[in-house]
Amino acid sequence: MYRPTRTSPFRSLSPSRASASAPSPSSGWKPTATTGRRNAQTCRRSDRNWPWPSPSSPRLALQSQPGGHSGASPSIVRNLHGAGLHARTPATEALLGRPLFISDSRSTAAGSHWPDEESQAEAYLPLMAGRHITDLPFAGRGKIVGVCCLSFPRSRGFPPEERAVLSMMAGLLGAAVERVQLSAKQRAVAEHLQQRLLPPTLSELPRLTATARYQPATVTSKVGGDWYDVIKLPGERMVLVVGDVEGHAIESTAVMGQVRTAVAAYATEGHRPATVIDRTGRLLAELGTDLLVTCCVVALDTADGTIEVALAGHPEPLVQRLDGSICHLEAPANLPLGVAMPYAYQGREHTLEPGSLLMLYSNGLVDRHTADPGDGAQVLLSSCSREAGADLEQLADHLIAHVSGPQQRRDDAVLLLARYEGAIGEGAPRTGNLQIQQRDLHGVKAARSFVDDRLSAWELAEMSDTLQLIASEIVTNALVHAGSNVDVRLRAFADHVRLEVRDSDSNPPVPSPLALVEEENAEAEHGRGLLIVEALSGSWHSSPNGRGKTVSVEVPIADTEP
């Protein structure tokens, strides 16, 4: 039988036979700390004489991840692991804001320790955000962010001076946990803001296809100001934009949103790239930000391949021709946005050959030790094989894999690839596009009709059944799991047809393998459609980008010649 000690401001449980001369801190006590975050790893000890909360009491909202433990105390770890807040345990008492000191754990409730374990003392300290623990209830007490559980190798008492030291230690731990949680929340907010500011989909024209990748930094706060954009204009014109805002903080992300909006607005009005950058720079100066911004704006007329490049302190874009040669699209470097320019920004015009590949990027794509980012990007692009370069999605994955390696990155990276197809062969490339709204109950039917109509118009009706089934499975996955708008794109080449389905979920689709047990196959609900896609298509890939993924499928065109 245990009774709470009322003679001190701390609640203490001690057996009636406990000696008054408990070992002091100088006698070599060795605590084992087990820290639990607010989803509380709690122990399974029950003592109805303790003032536990009833099952009907209000429950705490717990969202943190479990903590860890250090030291040799298997019993306390076992009792904490897997228990919930409804259990009547010392840890749940501590979560209510009251420290608990147990002088002899073997004399507590039965079943909490293994028989061959020695007696030990335990202390459960609530970790409060921004203040030390007390035993006196009062209004507006601090938020409890965790519980520190201490185990001592033998039974012992807890003198007032020890409890004061433990209280100060718990206060420091609570402040540390609070700082970690606050930092994680700030980073999550900034990452979400940055992701929302990137374009959900990329515009395309029949003669121009594009794809993009964004890779955050790992050493810093994983937040930056890099962005990309593809802006479709009337008259078969397209504007490609890549930019980089100085710093890795929420302010950088906010400035990035302002600059991206300004560039898109001026480009949509029909201004030339140099004028777009010039006006954006003046607007940025009026906003009063101290951050510098580099930017590359490329305007392409897909009707004749005319391209104009304007830079604001950004690396020059690269172009890879059909013969494999790579060169820079030279233009005046100009000064970054945010620096007063004594003269207007200047651009330069070039002409692209059909089949050329454009590559726009930020500094984070290349090694920071490289003297010239342009040379580093050229070496990186030339390292890709011709097979990888034939597919934009695979080429982008290959290039960004250089950034996603095991080495730590101090800067985020943006990659934007665009292939200008021109009028290769007879007429323009055969393309089609369909937008399906989120939660559209008729979206899958519309996708099948879209595929059938396009293939019939292209005299490829014999492929309709196969591609309708593939489109049906992939679009269904996107609508069910991504929960976003879905973009379906169909392109017919000389020897194959390519189907692309884009959504806002970056998690790749995972096929569910067939099991040997028939009951398991009958209970499976997801992933089986991808097995059909894999069986019907020549190849399929899933490529994540800045705000989702693209699932692409290629089906070869059967040779109808005798």
Side-chain angles (χ1 to χ4, degrees), residues 172-190:
L172 295 175
L173 289 175
V177 173
E178 182 186 26
R179 287 194 298 270
V180 171
Q181 291 179 344
L182 181 60
S183 176
K185 290 179 181 179
Q186 290 177 341
R187 183 167 61 249
V189 169

Side-chain angles (χ1 to χ4, degrees), residues 164-178:
V165 172
L166 293 176
S167 172
M168 290 187 291
M169 180 192 72
L172 295 175
L173 289 175
V177 173
E178 182 186 26

Side-chain angles (χ1 to χ4, degrees), residues 198-213:
L198 293 175
T201 58
L202 299 181
S203 303
E204 286 192 0
L205 290 173
R207 294 184 175 90
L208 186 74
T209 58
T211 188
R213 299 290 185 270

Side-chain angles (χ1 to χ4, degrees), residues 35-43 60-68 80-86 91-92 95 144-147 181:
T35 58
R37 304 280 291 277
R38 288 194 59 192
N39 58 347
Q41 296 174 328
T42 57
C43 61
L60 296 175
L62 307 175
Q63 298 178 351
S64 301
Q65 297 178 350
L80 288 170
H81 181 68
L85 285 178
H86 62 278
T92 54
L95 273 175
I144 300 177
V145 296
V147 175
Q181 291 179 344

Side-chain angles (χ1 to χ4, degrees), residues 3 89 126 196 497 512:
R3 58 181 182 273
T89 67
R196 298 303 300 176
V497 174
S512 295

Side-chain angles (χ1 to χ4, degrees), residues 258-270:
Q258 295 172 332
V259 176
R260 176 178 177 250
T261 302
V263 170
Y266 291 135
T268 304
E269 289 180 350

